[in-house]
């Protein structure tokens, strides 16, 4: 399955549009990660633990999107948009939502 943020895939004409598909995931960040990120905020530097959580959440949401596209007979998803939001009490959880158009190439 091809996944793309562009509306078309060069060299692969779209034969059929199947519709909009989505994938969502909500992931929590634990206290230790929050504490270590706070330390890095004070002293500077990147927060590797949060970056890992972001990648995992994005990958999970994209896998869900791909699965939903396959279920309706698509061979690709184009025009993918990825959104990140904090949710929950005091923003303790991260939500990643992806959407795109399922197509047959």
């Amino acid at each position: 399955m091809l996944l793309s943020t562009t509306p078309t895939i060069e060299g692969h004409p779209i034969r059929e549009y199947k519709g909009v598909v989505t994938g969502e995931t909500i992931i929590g960040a634990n206290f230790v990660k929050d504490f270590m990120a706070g330390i890095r905020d004070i002293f500077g530097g990147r927060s590797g633990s949060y970056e890992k959580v972001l990648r995992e959440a994005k990958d999970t949401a994209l896998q869900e999107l791909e699965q939903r596209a396959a279920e309706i007979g698509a061979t690709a998803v184009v025009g993918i948009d990825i959104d990140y939001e904090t949710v929950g009490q005091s923003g303790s959880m991260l939500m990643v939502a992806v959407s795109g158009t399922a197509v047959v190439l």
Side-chain angles (χ1 to χ4, degrees):
M1 168 104 34
L2 291 173
L3 303 177
S4 177
T5 58
T6 61
T8 60
I9 299 174
E10 189 173 339
H12 298 277
I14 294 173
R15 296 185 328 193
E16 181 182 355
Y17 289 88
K18 293 289 196 173
V20 174
V21 288
T22 62
E24 306 83 15
T25 189
I26 296 178
I27 199 162
N30 68 29
F31 173 75
V32 174
K33 289 179 186 174
D34 289 343
F35 177 75
M36 294 306 289
I39 298 283
R40 283 191 183 86
D41 285 344
I42 293 169
F43 296 107
R46 294 172 59 171
S47 175
S49 58
Y50 270 124
E51 289 173 359
K52 182 180 178 190
V53 169
L54 280 171
R55 278 192 303 275
E56 288 174 3
K58 175 191 58 84
D59 291 346
T60 300
L62 284 170
Q63 288 170 0
E64 189 174 301
L65 173 110
E66 186 175 348
Q67 178 183 352
R68 288 182 178 162
E71 288 172 358
I72 60 173
T75 58
V77 181
V78 297
I80 293 175
D81 180 53
I82 304 172
D83 292 313
Y84 298 89
E85 293 287 334
T86 55
V87 295
Q89 202 168 33
S90 72
S92 61
M93 312 240 353
L94 174 70
M95 177 181 73
V96 178
V98 296
S99 62
T101 302
V103 297
V104 175
L105 300 177

